[in-house]
Amino acid sequence: LDRAKNMLKCNVLTQLESRIVLFEDLGRQILTYGKREDIEVMRKKIDAVDKATVRDLVRRSVVGMKPTLCTVGDDLSYVPDFSTVERWFGQLS
């Protein structure tokens, strides 16, 4: 989780080096929040994410939902059938 948070902060900061991305972010934040949050606020929000936060998000987003299964290719023999995937999702609760 720490590695993922560090990668996210790095990616956000790298993207904001581009003027175009910076202005898109500025506009999006003003339209969404009515204000521009600085980098430090964004960093603190990312750092505040813990295992319990991720677990709760997964439970709200995945548990109890029907999974979607899409496959592409000529040999689909390695793809589990839908009932197996559905069972895996059921085990998350």
Side-chain angles (χ1 to χ4, degrees), residues 36-80:
R36 172 79 158 63
E37 290 185 340
D38 64 12
I39 301 299
E40 188 61 24
V41 172
M42 192 180 321
R43 187 193 63 78
K44 286 180 181 178
K45 285 183 176 182
I46 293 169
D47 285 339
V49 174
D50 59 7
K51 289 179 185 178
T53 306
V54 174
R55 191 176 323 117
D56 291 343
L57 175 64
V58 168
R59 284 190 176 135
R60 287 193 319 268
S61 304
V62 176
V63 175
M65 306 297 277
K66 286 264 189 199
T68 300
L69 182 61
C70 298
T71 59
V72 176
D74 296 327
D75 179 17
L76 303 180
S77 61
Y78 62 91
V79 178

Side-chain angles (χ1 to χ4, degrees), residues 77-93:
S77 61
Y78 62 91
V79 178
D81 62 85
F82 184 79
S83 61
T84 301
V85 175
E86 196 170 31
R87 209 170 39 254
W88 293 341
F89 273 67
Q91 293 173 358
L92 293 175
S93 57

Side-chain angles (χ1 to χ4, degrees), residues 10-22:
C10 180
N11 287 338
V12 167
L13 293 173
T14 301
Q15 288 294 316
L16 291 177
E17 290 178 0
S18 161
R19 286 250 190 244
I20 294 172
V21 175
L22 179 66

Side-chain angles (χ1 to χ4, degrees), residues 2-14 46:
D2 289 335
R3 182 174 177 213
K5 291 192 294 188
N6 286 334
M7 288 177 64
L8 176 59
K9 288 185 282 189
C10 180
N11 287 338
V12 167
L13 293 173
T14 301
I46 293 169

